[in-house]
């Protein structure tokens, strides 16, 4: 009698042990916080759909589109987690070229409001490639900075990072999309700081940027952008014009009280007083309907998520992983601070979306890709504990 072939059993045992190792390394906290924030975003999409007089599951409704985008984002997250992130270092420069191509395509055939070119229609769906460009920019910069680890006290390397970010930032600014271009700048600043770049040179570059602001204000920014940036100082001076959005937003936030008016019961939402309530100012509707407590829960989830992102970077043994986490964390921190700040009136109105909560497929899918890459880094390098 021949010997029993035990190879299938050994292979099955190896596979089960590999799955167990991967599961232990998967950062469940990070995924949980992201899922909870997505649920809040769907709740706001549901409320806005009901306020608009539509059935939530009606074809084309805000809520149904939100479910569609969430499903796609979940698939993207799983695929990005399964993908070996180390290949990103190999294709970083081709991805940079893809980023420039997508932004150039947006300028060529994109559509928008008031002559802007921000969205590209594909198969009946609108994509904002500048959202995807944020993640591609983080990949490119992470590859650049990781290759120069320990040498970021050099002005040449610091300027090189800025020059790398310059073309995509300029293409976004030309669209024009001031908010997204500011997010790009925040990503570069955060990654340079976390890379150990010389504070002396970073200070000099910051001073140069500040010195250039009068030129940007006079020759680059458009009149409506200037009005947005200045209206937060005194929104009551023009409540029917430039200050209208902020004025209505503050009414919504203030009327929510501690516990809110209840989902779908927001007055500002039902009466359609607040423009762009599904996008830039969705946090105002959230605060009106879920109150101060609901708003603080959302902010706490964001802070917990950002903490897990940074923990992933600190635990990474690969400089690329550390830099990628720094870029993703910088993006989330900046968008959270600016969006909530402009809703309550302490920051200028710049059109920066609130991740997960603002209705928009491109933003959600891009963040899902970023978090998936981060989980790929976790799985292949360390173990995240609950």
């Amino acid at each position: 009698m021949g010997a029993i072939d035990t190879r299938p059993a050994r292979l099955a045992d190896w596979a089960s042990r590999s799955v167990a190792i991967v599961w232990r390394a998967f950062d469940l906290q990070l995924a949980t916080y992201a899922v909870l924030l997505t649920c809040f975003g769907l709740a706001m999409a549901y409320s806005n759909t009901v306020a608009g007089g539509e059935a939530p599951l009606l074809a084309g409704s805000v809520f149904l589109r939100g479910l569609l985008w969430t499903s796609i984002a979940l698939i993207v997250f799983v695929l990005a987690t399964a993908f070996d992130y180390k290949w990103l270092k190999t294709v970083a420069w081709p991805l940079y070229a893809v980023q420039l191509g997508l932004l150039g395509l947006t300028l060529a055939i994109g559509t928008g409001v008031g002559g802007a070119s921000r969205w590209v229609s594909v198969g009946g769906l609108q994509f904002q490639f500048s959202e995807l460009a944020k993640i591609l920019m983080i990949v490119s910069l992470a590859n650049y900075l990781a290759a120069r680890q320990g040498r970021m006290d050099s002005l040449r390397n610091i300027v090189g990072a800025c020059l790398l970010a310059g073309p995509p930032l300029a293409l976004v600014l030309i669209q024009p999309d001031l908010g997204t271009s500011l997010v790009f700048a925040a990503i570069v600043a955060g990654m340079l700081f976390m890379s150990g770049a010389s504070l002396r040179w970073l200070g000099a570059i910051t001073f140069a940027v500040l010195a250039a602001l009068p030129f940007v204000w006079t020759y680059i920014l458009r009149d409506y952008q200037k009005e947005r940036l200045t209206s937060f100082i005194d929104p009551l001076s023009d409540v029917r014009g430039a200050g209208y959005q902020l004025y209505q937003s503050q009414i919504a936030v203030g009327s929510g009280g501690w516990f809110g008016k209840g989902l779908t019961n927001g007055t500002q939402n039902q009466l359609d007083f607040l423009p762009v309530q599904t996008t830039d100012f969705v946090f105002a509707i959230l605060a009106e309907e879920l109150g101060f407590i609901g708003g603080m829960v959302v902010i706490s989830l964001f802070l917990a998520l950002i903490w897990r992102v940074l923990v992933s970077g600190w635990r990474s043994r690969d400089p690329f992983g550390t830099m990628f986490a720094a870029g993703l964390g910088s993006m989330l921190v900046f968008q959270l601070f600016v969006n909530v700040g402009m809703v309550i009136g302490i920051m200028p109105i710049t059109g920066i979306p609130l991740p997960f909560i603002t209705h928009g497929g491109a933003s959600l899918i891009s963040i899902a890709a970023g978090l998936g890459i981060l989980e790929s880094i976790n799985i292949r390098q360390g173990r995240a504990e609950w």
Side-chain angles (χ1 to χ4, degrees), residues 222-235:
R222 301 189 180 186
D223 290 338
Y224 79 90
Q225 292 173 325
K226 295 177 182 179
E227 291 177 353
R228 278 186 171 187
L229 290 172
T230 57
S231 62
F232 84 102
I233 298 175
D234 185 15

Side-chain angles (χ1 to χ4, degrees), residues 114-138:
S117 299
R118 298 182 185 177
W119 298 278
V120 175
S121 296
V122 179
L125 298 176
Q126 286 191 323
F127 292 89
Q128 192 170 3
F129 288 139
S130 59
E131 291 293 335
L132 178 59
K134 295 175 185 177
I135 302 300
L136 297 179
M137 168 56 66
I138 294 173

Side-chain angles (χ1 to χ4, degrees), residues 242-277:
Y244 178 79
Q245 286 181 321
L246 179 55
Y247 178 68
Q248 296 296 335
S249 173
Q250 290 176 327
I251 291 177
V253 173
S255 64
W258 284 96
F259 300 102
K261 299 177 180 178
L263 193 66
T264 75
N265 293 326
T267 306
Q268 299 296 96
N269 197 7
Q270 290 181 349
L271 300 179
D272 200 26
F273 283 147
L274 186 62
V276 292
Q277 59 197 36

Side-chain angles (χ1 to χ4, degrees), residues 165-188:
L169 190 153
L171 288 172
V172 171
L173 191 58
I174 293 172
Q175 290 181 3
D177 189 346
L178 176 62
T180 301
S181 62
L182 290 175
V183 176
F184 273 54
I187 290 172
V188 176

